[in-house]
Amino acid sequence: MTKILINSVNNRITQLDSNLAEAIKAVIDTKIGENFDAPNPIVGIITEMMKNNLNKSNIPRDSDGKFKIIEEIK
């Protein structure tokens, strides 16, 4: 019984591997990536600036990670 299950799983894995290889080959053959525009350098610069500003966050937090109230609004 176990041998039958192992053979069945092995056959399905082999078929899946074959299907995946065919799908990858089809994507490469159709050159699907050729229709994309080149990345805009200005967008890249703005993205880097935003990442850097997120890393410089000076917002105080409690020991449990919640934001602290700096001054209560009255």
Side-chain angles (χ1 to χ4, degrees), residues 20-64:
L20 185 57
E22 289 176 22
I24 291 171
K25 185 176 182 334
V27 168
I28 291 170
D29 289 345
T30 59
K31 299 178 183 177
I32 196 165
E34 288 184 354
N35 296 329
F36 292 108
D37 295 333
N40 186 333
I42 295 173
V43 172
I45 291 169
I46 293 171
T47 303
E48 284 299 315
M49 288 173 41
M50 291 173 66
K51 284 182 190 177
N52 291 338
N53 285 337
L54 287 174
N55 292 335
K56 294 179 185 176
S57 176
N58 290 331
I59 301 171
R61 295 180 181 242
D62 288 334
S63 60
D64 59 353

